[in-house]
Amino acid sequence: MTLRFYDFHPSLGDMRTEILQGLRQPQKAIAPKFLYDKTGAELFNAVCELPEYYLTRAEMAILQSRGEEIARLIGDGALVEFGSGSCQKVQILLDAQRRLNNGALSAYVSLDISKEHLLESCQKLAALYPELETDAICADYTQPLVWPEELARRRKVGFFPGSSIGNLEPQEALTFLADSRRLLGPEGGLLIGVDLQKSAAILEPAYADAQGISAAFALNLLRRLNRELGADFDLERFTYRAFYNPLGRIEMSLVSLREQTVRVAGEVVVFRAGESLLTEYSYKYSVDGFQALARKAGYQPKQVWLDEDRLFSVHYLQV
Ligand SMILES: C[S@@+](CC[C@H](N)C(=O)[O-])C[C@H]1O[C@@H](n2cnc3c(N)ncnc32)[C@H](O)[C@@H]1O
């Protein structure tokens, strides 16, 4: 068993600059990548278990029922997961490829911005699949990345589950796809989970559950800013809101319950009563709409699978 760790984590200074920039915009916004400190990662795992959050169940059902077909498409080399979280979904693929051809893959590369969670998950995974080299890379996948030398020469297939592509605005999603195509190289491919357009009656409860776990997940961002950037947010003075915007996305934000002033990294930030701080978008796609975006980024869509209820899609794109 080998586990290598590469730390390209953005510095605290970069985080401070990016967060202050977001708070100075007319529509205050903080990128969703900041939601995932250790508690955030745990709360996200709890979200995945919620009855209203159909996404994880639907995607896992697709991977389970099509595992061997997908493993055949993935082939050999290294499987690189972007935003690997608890590395749960990839185990379905690793098991399938073990059954199929005694393990054509030689390496699993887990890339995530949440360092502690990344290391914990990779240690568990490396123990379960000792035949694979496991590489943990702590990095921001929206920033340029250069592969460590051992990885640069391998064939690489990307795995981007969880509909994380939906967190990016369409132009950013196009940039991510085009960059990933270059990173994965001419022999590669990308297996990507994409949530489908559907009625607000199904979407809104998925992002604002009855138990309030999604709300706790978003509010934890303020706790993180208090701890890491010396901010003084009073969590009692914000409430969580998620709604479907007919532009085709869920919008998640924290809404100020009153007019208030907050200090963040030494800067004063004023919130009006009812003003929102955007924490996340989740764009929803049609199969054709996503394939058109993938083509624009230079990928060739090869295969798409849906779950029984046609809630979620998994695409295999060839570089
Ligand atoms: C929505 S969770 C998905 C986790 C898992 N892949 C799944 O499908 O259940 C997003 C994961 O991506 C990571 N992440 C979010 N933004 C990131 C970024 N810009 N760069 C690297 N990792 C990121 C988070 O830390 C988290 O583990």
Side-chain angles (χ1 to χ4, degrees):
M1 164 181 127
T2 50
L3 171 60
R4 277 188 297 248
F5 176 53
Y6 302 94
D7 192 357
F8 306 136
H9 190 275
S11 71
L12 187 63
D14 292 346
M15 174 176 167
R16 178 184 183 280
T17 308
E18 206 176 324
I19 283 182
L20 286 177
Q21 261 168 12
L23 291 172
R24 288 183 201 125
Q25 303 303 313
Q27 166 62 71
K28 295 184 174 63
I30 294 185
K33 63 186 173 192
F34 295 113
L35 290 163
Y36 297 90
D37 63 352
K38 189 164 190 301
T39 308
E42 284 162 9
L43 284 166
F44 178 74
N45 283 345
V47 166
C48 291
E49 304 281 319
L50 290 167
E52 298 96 329
Y53 198 76
Y54 62 86
L55 291 88
T56 307
R57 279 187 301 280
E59 187 174 35
M60 288 183 63
I62 297 170
L63 298 179
Q64 250 139 9
S65 61
R66 304 300 189 140
E68 296 187 2
E69 190 184 341
I70 295 173
R72 225 171 270 124
L73 278 169
I74 290 175
D76 59 8
L79 183 63
V80 181
E81 183 169 3
F82 297 98
S84 43
S86 52
C87 302
Q88 208 194 352
K89 291 171 187 164
V90 78
Q91 292 184 34
I92 304 172
L93 300 178
L94 297 179
D95 289 344
Q97 73 99 32
R98 243 185 196 168
R99 282 196 303 277
L100 192 69
N101 48 11
N102 225 358
L105 283 176
S106 52
Y108 168 62
V109 183
S110 179
L111 193 150
D112 205 289
I113 200 165
S114 180
K115 195 184 305 191
E116 250 179 285
H117 192 58
L118 169 73
L119 281 171
E120 226 172 74
S121 305
C122 283
Q123 271 154 3
K124 284 189 197 145
L125 194 110
L128 287 173
Y129 301 90
E131 72 276 23
L132 288 180
E133 281 178 30
T134 303
D135 293 325
I137 304 184
C138 184
D140 179 347
Y141 58 60
T142 60
Q143 298 299 316
L145 178 77
V146 178
W147 294 122
E149 209 182 301
E150 308 85 72
L151 274 173
R153 33 172 205 269
R154 283 183 204 263
R155 174 177 181 268
K156 290 175 279 296
V157 171
F159 181 39
F160 195 32
S163 205
S164 294
I165 191 80
N167 291 148
L168 304 173
E169 296 214 45
Q171 188 53 43
E172 295 168 337
L174 182 63
T175 304
F176 172 84
L177 289 171
D179 289 350
S180 71
R181 189 177 61 80
R182 276 188 293 272
L183 263 181
L184 293 165
E187 311 273 284
L190 179 67
L191 183 71
I192 179 165
V194 184
D195 196 18
L196 295 173
Q197 289 167 354
K198 58 184 69 65
S199 77
I202 300 178
L203 285 170
E204 284 180 349
Y207 292 91
D209 58 284
Q211 291 173 59
I213 312 280
S214 308
F217 174 58
L219 282 162
N220 178 61
L221 172 65
L222 304 184
R223 204 172 280 126
R224 178 179 190 187
L225 301 186
N226 286 350
R227 188 181 64 244
E228 294 184 30
L229 293 185
D232 62 359
F233 283 99
D234 179 345
L235 274 63
E236 300 289 315
R237 294 182 177 181
F238 287 87
T239 190
Y240 170 74
R241 181 179 70 194
F243 73 95
Y244 181 69
N245 180 328
L247 284 174
R249 65 186 185 217
I250 285 279
E251 295 186 15
M252 287 158 266
S253 45
L254 293 166
V255 179
S256 177
L257 290 170
R258 50 193 269 187
E259 183 166 339
Q260 56 180 316
T261 299
V262 181
R263 290 192 82 83
V264 183
E267 217 166 274
V268 174
V269 183
V270 178
F271 284 89
R272 298 184 310 275
E275 187 177 354
S276 66
L277 163 59
L278 184 69
T279 55
E280 238 180 320
Y281 283 145
S282 183
Y283 277 86
K284 307 300 167 187
Y285 288 90
S286 64
V287 166
D288 290 348
F290 182 73
Q291 288 185 335
L293 187 75
R295 280 197 193 91
K296 212 166 158 188
Y299 278 110
Q300 200 188 335
K302 272 278 154 197
Q303 187 59 276
V304 57
W305 304 269
L306 306 187
D307 61 300
E308 259 182 14
D309 300 324
R310 307 178 76 80
L311 296 172
F312 199 90
S313 63
V314 173
H315 297 248
Y316 187 77
L317 312 172
Q318 196 160 295
V319 169

